[in-house]
Amino acid sequence: MTDFSQTQFLTSAVGPAGFPPADRPEIAFAGRSNVGKSSAINALANRKRLAFASKTPGRTQAINFFDLGPAARLVDLPGYGYAEVPQATRAEWDALVGGYLGNRPCLAVVVVLMDVRHPLKDHDLHLFEWLRPVGAKLLVLLTKADKLSRSAALSARTTVLAALRARAIHAEVMVFSAAKKLGVEETRGLLQDWLEQAAGNKRPPV
Ligand code: GDP
């Protein structure tokens, strides 16, 4: 059983040489800058400042790895989609994140975060296309749901589900708020189930 409160910073990497060995299932978190990714990771781990984003667009990007108990890892990918980011930084992001997503056999789950009020921007769709050949399970968290009424948030979820289905992208979609702790338990439960499945798949047949 994965205990999210056991999440601990492991290492930060700016290229594949810095990645830890691919020896246990990983859950990677991706999303536009400012979408609420750090807040979501902190809420899941029930910690205040485990993950925190630098607010400086264009600074050196890094992938942060966390141990999720002894048997899994949580991976915080750098945010994308700052309009003012120079081309060179965008290429750096592509190389770093592409180098991770395209070559990580232990990648079990990718959590894609999108603001419930502005989902499915071009950069998000680009990411889903990158993820298509990866074969990891996909969970979409629609963040900052406290900014909408419950019915408007649920309706946004229905729209996102339909749009993903229309693109043949298979993903679970959850309404989430780190501020109001909405969807936090459900997300932990689903990720735990998927990690157990990933571990089960690795077991040799009896
Ligand atoms: P990151 O850049 O994706 O890591 O985003 P952060 O977690 O740093 O959050 C960006 C901004 O959104 C901050 O001002 C947060 O306080 C705010 N934020 C994050 N999660 C929520 C949420 O659930 N509800 C609301 N209303 N604001 C949030």
Side-chain angles (χ1 to χ4, degrees):
M1 183 82 166
T2 312
D3 181 355
F4 281 81
S5 68
Q6 283 186 36
T7 312
Q8 278 194 17
F9 177 75
L10 174 65
T11 189
S12 200
V14 293
F19 298 169
D23 57 359
R24 62 201 70 185
E26 289 179 342
I27 304 173
F29 286 70
R32 291 167 62 82
S33 302
N34 224 36
V35 72
K37 181 159 56 67
S38 307
S39 304
I41 292 172
N42 290 336
L44 290 169
N46 204 15
R47 219 74 74 68
K48 286 218 157 41
R49 275 178 70 81
L50 185 71
F52 53 92
S54 158
K55 293 297 158 199
T56 318
R59 78 182 177 99
T60 307
Q61 310 251 10
I63 298 181
N64 293 315
F65 292 83
F66 298 84
D67 279 326
L68 189 49
R73 265 190 219 114
L74 195 154
V75 182
D76 186 6
L77 299 173
Y80 52 86
Y82 261 118
E84 64 269 37
V85 158
Q87 199 62 43
T89 312
R90 217 170 281 173
E92 220 176 79
W93 190 95
D94 280 7
L96 177 60
V97 177
Y100 173 80
L101 293 176
N103 191 26
R104 198 68 180 163
C106 62
L107 179 58
V109 180
V110 180
V111 181
V112 179
L113 298 99
M114 300 191 289
D115 189 314
V116 71
R117 298 162 298 172
H118 318 285
L120 298 170
K121 298 283 191 195
D122 282 353
H123 280 99
D124 302 318
L125 294 172
H126 182 67
L127 175 67
F128 283 118
E129 289 310 320
W130 269 23
L131 290 172
R132 203 183 280 282
V134 170
K137 287 195 177 289
L138 293 183
L139 170 61
V140 170
L141 295 184
L142 298 175
T143 62
K144 309 190 189 182
D146 56 285
K147 298 270 195 186
L148 292 182
S149 69
R150 185 175 154 73
S151 64
L154 289 176
S155 147
R157 176 179 181 270
T158 306
T159 306
V160 168
L161 269 173
L164 292 176
R165 209 169 286 146
R167 290 177 169 83
I169 294 163
H170 303 287
E172 291 284 336
V173 179
M174 285 203 199
V175 166
F176 192 91
S177 163
K180 290 278 151 61
K181 302 282 180 278
L182 246 178
V184 173
E185 270 311 318
E186 292 85 342
T187 299
R188 282 193 197 120
L190 181 63
L191 293 176
Q192 267 160 7
D193 286 352
W194 282 356
L195 281 176
E196 274 163 34
Q197 279 179 29
N201 290 344
K202 294 264 159 53
R203 234 173 271 143
V206 281

